[in-house]
Amino acid sequence: MESVSFPPLSSIAICGGTHGNEMTGVYLVREMQKHKVDKIGSVSISTVLSNPRAVDVCRRYTETDLNRCFTDALLSSAITDSTPYEVRRAQELNAQLGPKGSEKAVDMLIDLHNTTANMGLCLIFYNADYLPLQIFKYIQNKMLSVPVRAMQLDIPLSDAYSLDSLGKHSFSIEVGPQPNGVLRADIFNIVKEAVDHTIAWLQEFNSGSTFKAGEVEAFTVVKSVDYPRDPVTGEISAAIHPQLQDNDFKLLKPGDPIFLSFTGETVKHEGEELYPLFVNECAYYEKKIAFHLAQKRTFKLPSIHMKKD
Amino acid sequence: MEVDEVMCLPRLPRVAVCGGTHGNELSGVYLVREMLKVEKKVVEEEEEPVLVMIVLSNPRATQQCHRYVDTDLNRCFTHATLNGPMSDTDPYEIVRSRELNTLLGPKGSRQAVDLVCDLHNTTANMGMCLITYSDCDWICLHIFRHLQKEIPDIPMRFIHFDVSNKESYSLDSVGKHGFAMEIGPQPHGVVRSNIYTAMKGGVQHMLDWVRLFNSGTMFKGGFVDVFTMVKHIDYPRDSVTHNITAAIHPHLQDRDFCLLHPEDPLFQTFSGETLRYKGKEPLYPFFINECAYYEKGIALSLARKRRVMGFLVFKG
């Protein structure tokens, strides 16, 4: 593959508290704001507390999930008195960090999240943008004491619904397991290190370094599985099976247990071999997702370097 | 060691199992819902049947999957709150605590249920704990020993809060005997199968003990290691914003009940600095990094451990 060039990446946004109870991002952004971090070398940095109202009450959101409000449709929807807070806030963020899809948008947006699932350090991105993939490869090689993986959402930009879709080249950093509302030092240290490595990579990129070609594996979500539910009340009637619990990214085969009902029955996986992700994520109970299932794909990366004028 | 002391105690005809006192502590919520589906008030084969009342303590908070709606229900059971003046603007949980007091109490009276088992989860790595206000309630101590024997693969501890009956504030204080069954770690809003199963086993063995006791079984004396709460430690906080400025140190995180010595790491600031325990006495930490305690100003609690010798008990 020929080497691919990109313009310098000089403006980045680091966002936390997109979900107000995912504490690592909240505290990392607050810490950067306290120390007035706005430029590191060639990179100017905006730090944004995405959903301040949700952060204040330590809830995921106040009216609706902010991280589903960034589709083209919602960003251009008319604001009325009954528009939920988060839809308005998404439009504010779009004006500040976007507009989505335009030349004025920040070069890179990194959105910090936590999960109750045992996902280690996971970078989440749309499509096969070489820049985040090269950063992923870089972080994977630097951070050896924690599992580092990538998850890809195969969605066109117009339908892309999350905050990171505002930036030109963006990704979310998702780290778990951490309970909502709790701040763990080990998880904080992991996220801080990943952010530091990302900024270091950007410095190197902007100074003219070439990042070699290679291959990375990433997980592409193909479907989601809900909990078994009571047909009358809609309440879940089983929990994630102990053999699946905490085994994100471990291949799930037909016949493997996935749920253990509250009365002791085992439900088994039927269908193809796939990789489970976001196993027992707290916020997904209401979205009717017990876990996602993904295929593992290999992405070939060209070498990349900064485009010189 | 020979225990010569013998105690004869009245039987326990009425037991309450309560879940969802905090609406996002899901093992208890789902266990109570399952038990309500198969509710058996009286088991006919027994000579001395036990009436088991199964209660979803805070239905509104449970429906919203929040700890509470207006105020923490599990702090609303002091005599003062239960018997204070009522008003139309009372917080939901105070109204509810009075309803529960009517249902399971009145607290301190002869009509109160004999035993309250209140189900809780914690984000702290505490295994299974029974939490009571007394270190000499032989019913609770013997239930604890029974659970230890029947569920040997789960770390189990007995925690004592030295609070007088007058000041006792939690739901389990409504019964003649009572304890909270606290199991972690489990994130709030999540049900983990292993934690649910442990709680289900704990409740089942507790009820089995009550039936055995009621039918005349003698339970030998022995000992229980009791952790008595001494003090809490808050997070370091910003003097202006009151936001925390450090997290529980990685060497302390998940090490509930591992003895904490003076100068051991306690917190790690966001810039990586270690803050150390400055107390003079080694103590046992628990409720380390419990989510709900950030707002109560508690990063961890500290306890002294002492061995309590048990009486042989039987039903009189």
Side-chain angles (χ1 to χ4, degrees):
Chain A
M1 275 168 117
E2 259 193 48
S3 186
V4 177
S5 68
F6 294 89
L9 299 166
S10 46
S11 68
I12 76 162
I14 296 175
C15 303
T18 303
H19 294 132
N21 56 8
E22 294 176 15
M23 306 310 290
T24 309
V26 171
Y27 281 98
L28 193 52
V29 161
R30 275 187 182 151
E31 194 64 11
M32 293 178 84
Q33 288 177 342
K34 194 161 136 187
H35 293 286
K36 299 188 174 24
V37 174
D38 61 358
K39 200 165 172 67
I40 299 181
S42 58
V43 181
S44 72
I45 299 177
S46 308
T47 49
V48 182
L49 205 62
S50 317
N51 194 339
R53 278 198 204 172
V55 170
D56 269 342
V57 292
C58 199
R59 299 256 150 95
R60 182 177 176 83
Y61 55 81
T62 63
E63 293 177 77
T64 190
D65 188 347
L66 174 63
N67 214 29
R68 300 293 182 273
C69 290
F70 293 90
T71 60
D72 285 8
L74 281 169
L75 287 177
S76 57
S77 64
I79 300 287
T80 70
D81 282 342
S82 59
T83 302
Y85 166 73
E86 277 87 5
V87 173
R88 288 174 211 256
R89 181 64 182 145
Q91 294 194 6
E92 269 174 37
L93 289 164
N94 190 39
Q96 182 186 348
L97 304 173
K100 176 178 172 187
S102 79
E103 264 310 296
K104 292 212 220 109
V106 290
D107 294 318
M108 183 165 281
L109 194 159
I110 301 158
D111 191 21
L112 305 177
H113 286 267
N114 293 118
T115 174
T116 55
N118 185 27
M119 287 181 49
L121 169 57
C122 185
L123 270 54
I124 305 179
F125 51 89
Y126 292 101
N127 308 312
D129 187 342
Y130 296 137
L131 277 168
L133 281 168
Q134 280 280 3
I135 293 174
F136 165 60
K137 182 152 97 56
Y138 180 86
I139 291 177
Q140 222 181 18
N141 288 329
K142 293 273 184 192
M143 290 180 73
L144 303 172
S145 57
V146 62
V148 182
R149 294 146 180 139
M151 177 179 146
Q152 189 232 359
L153 300 166
D154 220 347
I155 298 176
L157 191 63
S158 58
D159 295 335
Y161 48 75
S162 52
L163 170 58
D164 54 311
S165 67
L166 295 187
K168 293 200 187 83
H169 308 280
S170 304
F171 55 95
S172 295
I173 291 180
E174 182 89 51
V175 185
Q178 180 172 269
N180 296 146
V182 161
L183 181 70
R184 286 183 64 105
D186 54 357
I187 300 283
F188 181 90
N189 294 340
I190 287 169
V191 176
K192 182 160 190 298
E193 192 181 342
V195 169
D196 288 346
H197 284 311
T198 301
I199 295 174
W201 186 95
L202 289 164
Q203 310 277 38
E204 283 187 50
F205 177 82
N206 288 343
S207 68
S209 296
T210 297
F211 291 91
K212 288 196 311 210
E215 274 184 4
V216 289
E217 281 180 341
F219 294 85
T220 303
V221 174
V222 295
K223 63 181 183 186
S224 309
V225 177
D226 189 13
Y227 291 95
R229 287 178 188 270
D230 182 296
V232 174
T233 63
E235 294 294 343
I236 69 172
S237 55
I240 295 285
H241 195 280
Q243 280 179 237
L244 174 57
Q245 179 69 55
D246 301 333
N247 281 322
D248 302 67
F249 300 104
K250 193 165 158 216
L251 186 64
L252 190 68
K253 302 184 174 133
D256 285 348
I258 50 176
F259 297 112
L260 183 60
S261 79
F262 297 133
T263 44
E265 285 97 46
T266 296
V267 178
K268 297 186 181 183
H269 174 56
E270 288 162 15
E272 50 180 313
E273 290 187 354
L274 288 166
Y275 294 86
L277 313 179
F278 281 112
V279 177
N280 208 350
E281 160 54 45
C282 175
Y284 287 179
Y285 283 52
E286 70 176 19
K287 295 189 200 293
K288 305 210 181 313
I289 297 168
F291 53 93
H292 288 312
L293 286 170
Q295 283 168 342
K296 189 160 64 169
R297 291 166 55 184
T298 304
F299 290 81
K300 283 188 154 51
L301 297 182
S303 83
I304 67 170
H305 62 278
M306 186 188 73
K307 187 184 290 177
K308 295 192 176 83
D309 291 325
Chain B
M1 187 190 260
E2 284 296 316
V3 178
D4 296 318
E5 306 277 5
V6 165
M7 182 166 282
C8 169
L9 295 167
R11 59 184 289 272
L12 307 165
R14 293 161 70 222
V15 176
V17 176
C18 305
T21 302
H22 295 133
N24 55 6
E25 294 176 15
L26 293 191
S27 293
V29 168
Y30 284 105
L31 185 56
V32 154
R33 282 191 180 142
E34 281 302 309
M35 291 176 81
L36 284 169
K37 281 187 199 166
V38 294
E39 194 167 3
K40 286 186 282 233
K41 289 211 166 63
V42 175
V43 177
E44 277 121 17
E45 309 92 68
E46 292 175 17
E47 287 177 15
E48 307 270 6
V50 178
L51 174 65
V52 182
M53 300 172 70
I54 298 153
V55 182
L56 193 68
S57 316
N58 193 338
R60 269 199 216 171
T62 299
Q63 193 264 326
Q64 296 177 15
C65 198
H66 290 152
R67 180 178 177 84
Y68 55 81
V69 172
D70 293 328
T71 190
D72 189 339
L73 175 62
N74 214 28
R75 301 293 181 274
C76 291
F77 292 92
T78 58
H79 282 292
T81 305
L82 291 174
N83 301 306
M86 293 197 266
S87 104
D88 283 339
T89 54
D90 276 338
Y92 167 72
E93 277 85 6
I94 291 192
V95 174
R96 185 61 184 147
S97 71
R98 291 175 181 150
E99 279 173 20
L100 290 164
N101 191 40
T102 304
L103 179 69
L104 305 176
K107 174 170 169 174
S109 77
R110 278 184 20 201
Q111 291 82 42
V113 295
D114 300 285
L115 178 64
V116 171
C117 171
D118 187 25
L119 305 174
H120 287 268
N121 290 118
T122 173
T123 56
N125 186 27
M126 285 171 62
M128 188 183 296
C129 289
L130 297 200
I131 307 180
T132 76
Y133 290 108
S134 167
D135 59 357
C136 54
D137 180 326
W138 308 116
I139 299 290
C140 295
L141 286 163
H142 271 278
I143 288 173
F144 177 77
R145 275 165 50 84
H146 183 71
L147 292 182
Q148 269 187 317
K149 186 165 140 267
E150 297 298 320
I151 320 179
D153 55 335
I154 296 175
M156 221 172 284
R157 284 103 179 182
F158 192 96
I159 298 175
H160 161 230
F161 278 71
D162 198 2
V163 170
S164 69
N165 186 270
K166 185 158 162 281
E167 304 297 324
S168 59
Y169 48 76
S170 52
L171 172 54
D172 53 292
S173 68
V174 171
K176 295 196 184 81
H177 305 272
F179 57 87
M181 180 181 288
E182 183 89 52
I183 311 190
Q186 182 175 269
H188 298 323
V190 160
V191 61
R192 285 181 67 99
S193 189
N194 61 329
I195 301 286
Y196 174 87
T197 300
M199 191 174 270
K200 187 170 172 188
V203 168
Q204 196 48 57
H205 288 299
M206 181 268 297
L207 292 172
D208 288 347
W209 185 91
V210 171
R211 290 186 177 108
L212 286 168
F213 174 76
N214 285 350
S215 64
T217 306
M218 283 199 182
F219 293 92
K220 286 209 301 235
F223 66 85
V224 169
D225 286 329
V226 170
F227 292 87
T228 298
M229 201 280 290
V230 170
K231 61 182 179 183
H232 306 301
I233 298 184
D234 191 8
Y235 291 96
R237 288 177 187 272
D238 182 288
S239 50
V240 173
T241 64
H242 210 57
N243 290 328
I244 67 174
T245 54
I248 294 284
H249 197 280
H251 292 175
L252 176 58
Q253 179 68 53
D254 301 333
R255 287 200 163 81
D256 300 70
F257 302 105
C258 296
L259 191 61
L260 184 72
H261 301 91
E263 296 304 314
D264 279 350
L266 205 51
F267 299 111
Q268 185 178 82
T269 70
F270 302 132
S271 46
E273 196 196 330
T274 294
L275 304 175
R276 295 178 183 276
Y277 172 52
K278 294 299 180 194
K280 301 273 188 328
E281 181 191 352
L283 291 170
Y284 292 87
F286 63 103
F287 278 125
I288 298 174
N289 209 347
E290 161 51 48
C291 174
Y293 287 0
Y294 283 57
E295 71 176 19
K296 296 190 199 292
I298 298 170
L300 64 147
S301 301
L302 290 167
R304 269 182 211 115
K305 183 169 75 164
R306 81 175 216 286
R307 187 152 285 188
V308 169
M309 302 308 293
F311 289 89
L312 184 153
V313 296
F314 66 98
K315 174 209 75 170

